[in-house]
Amino acid sequence: MQIIIERIKRILLTPTQEWLKINAEEWTIQDLFTKYVMILAAIPSVAGFIGHWLVGHSTFGATIRFGFAQALTWAVLQYIVSVGGVFLIATIMDLVAPKFELPKDQLTSMKIVVFSHTAYWVGGVLNLIPNLAALGALLGIYSVVLMYLGMKQLRTIPADKLTPYFVTVLVIALIVYVVLGFVIGAILSPSVNLPAAG
């Protein structure tokens, strides 16, 4: 766990240097998920479970709480979306790479997407207080910056192709998460009247 904490601190505070270290590290896709993604992706899910079930979302003086089953369902779905979303976005990043004069490199794409999500997952601790969940999501915008830096450091890409490549992947990622967010909302909407995002 200490290794993960150190990685979180370095990727958030000194990302340029940390991407160089990540680039030199030997990882498998399985290790990326079992030793990093599946651990950090639990932060917003567990925090959200506690927040939606015990704290509640205050609106116009009223506090809305999920029942235990709804909160647990939300947390499980959020976790699946977080883990699956990383895999899907990295796969798409790799698939579109040849359009920008890059060879396919699934492992490097996975590294970029996995470690750039760190800020989003850490910001997810604010799901403990559902009214602050949107702030946590905003903190996750730093993950976008990390992704850009990761693409710049880990992929050998012509300077004029970097921004279009980054924007393409970013737009696809936003579409993926919006669609998945609607799916969560649709599953939960019969029993609760609270946005699923967080």
Side-chain angles (χ1 to χ4, degrees), residues 11-197:
I11 195 71
L12 295 180
L13 299 177
T14 56
T16 301
Q17 296 93 319
E18 194 62 15
W19 278 122
L20 293 174
K21 291 180 183 177
I22 290 168
N23 193 35
E25 292 172 355
E26 295 292 333
W27 286 88
T28 65
I29 292 174
Q30 180 178 344
D31 283 345
L32 285 170
F33 278 83
T34 58
K35 296 179 180 179
Y36 201 80
V37 175
M38 295 176 74
I39 296 168
L40 265 69
I43 295 172
S45 297
V46 172
F49 168 73
I50 295 169
H52 288 313
W53 179 40
L54 297 177
V55 179
H57 186 275
S58 298
T59 307
F60 303 113
T63 299
I64 302 171
R65 293 184 181 87
F66 285 1
F68 178 84
Q70 289 81 16
L72 184 60
T73 300
W74 180 93
V76 170
L77 291 173
Q78 187 76 14
Y79 185 73
I80 292 170
V81 164
S82 192
V83 174
V86 165
F87 184 85
L88 183 57
I89 292 165
T91 300
I92 292 168
M93 177 185 285
D94 195 48
L95 286 173
V96 302
K99 302 288 186 184
F100 300 92
E101 302 176 14
L102 287 169
K104 289 186 177 183
D105 186 342
Q106 188 180 27
L107 180 57
T108 297
S109 295
M110 286 290 173
K111 282 184 177 182
I112 293 168
V113 176
V114 165
F115 292 112
S116 66
H117 267 69
T118 302
Y120 170 75
W121 288 324
V122 171
V125 74
L126 292 177
N127 286 349
L128 281 167
I129 304 172
N131 280 51
L132 297 180
L135 179 58
L138 286 175
L139 291 174
I141 290 174
Y142 187 44
S143 285
V144 175
V145 175
L146 292 176
M147 182 181 289
Y148 179 83
L149 293 174
M151 292 170 76
K152 186 176 180 180
Q153 295 275 22
L154 273 62
R155 300 303 308 256
T156 304
I157 183 170
D160 62 325
K161 302 289 185 183
L162 176 59
T163 299
Y165 182 41
F166 169 72
V167 171
T168 299
V169 173
L170 180 60
V171 168
I172 292 170
L174 289 173
I175 292 170
V176 166
Y177 280 123
V178 167
V179 170
L180 293 175
F182 275 118
V183 170
I184 293 177
I187 292 171
L188 293 175
S189 62
S191 54
V192 293
N193 188 27
L194 188 64

